[in-house]
Amino acid sequence: MDWRAHLAARLAALRPARLCALDDAARAFAAAHLPDTPILTADAPAALALGIAALDRLDAEAARHLIHRVRLYVAPRLLLTARADGPLDDDAFRALGFECELRDPADGTRIQAYDLATYKPVPDWLNARFWAHPERWEP
């Protein structure tokens, strides 16, 4: 499966209420595959942010800054395409909490996904039974 087909299937599965397009290619792609979904600019809050060519002309620092800004202020979910010669490699995306969903063997384009809800699973030790011991408290 090529990256465009995977991205179209992923958008159809997610069906966001509002989508933020980070670049013109993402805006055109979203308009073609989600015609009833409002497509917003990068400054408006949305359920999902999509970037196809957003990282292409950026260096690594600017790409990380854009990702951080979008995650904090725009959308809890991101779908980004990353070219093989892009500013961030797989390790850099993994360090930012992304997951590589697809690597297109034809041109090396990768689909990187971030979801705040599944970013870090809650560890087993982080619950009330290890923190609160009411039987040990004395009045």
Side-chain angles (χ1 to χ4, degrees), residues 72-92:
L72 286 174
Y73 301 114
V74 178
R77 284 184 174 168
L78 278 84
L79 283 175
L80 296 173
T81 61
R83 309 275 181 230
D85 59 346
L88 301 175
D89 60 358
D90 284 339
D91 291 336

Side-chain angles (χ1 to χ4, degrees), residues 17-98:
R18 296 163 48 132
L19 185 130
C20 173
L22 300 177
D23 54 76
D24 293 335
R27 182 178 301 281
F29 193 86
H33 292 91
L34 296 172
D36 298 332
T37 302
I39 300 170
L40 311 168
T41 63
D43 296 331
L48 174 70
L50 176 66
I52 293 180
L55 304 179
D56 287 352
R57 290 183 290 265
L58 301 176
D59 62 353
E61 183 179 343
R64 281 192 295 274
H65 179 72
L66 173 68
I67 289 169
H68 287 305
R69 185 174 55 84
V70 170
R71 282 192 316 194
L72 286 174
Y73 301 114
V74 178
R77 284 184 174 168
L78 278 84
L79 283 175
L80 296 173
T81 61
R83 309 275 181 230
D85 59 346
L88 301 175
D89 60 358
D90 284 339
D91 291 336
F93 274 109
R94 197 173 307 112
L96 292 169
F98 281 80

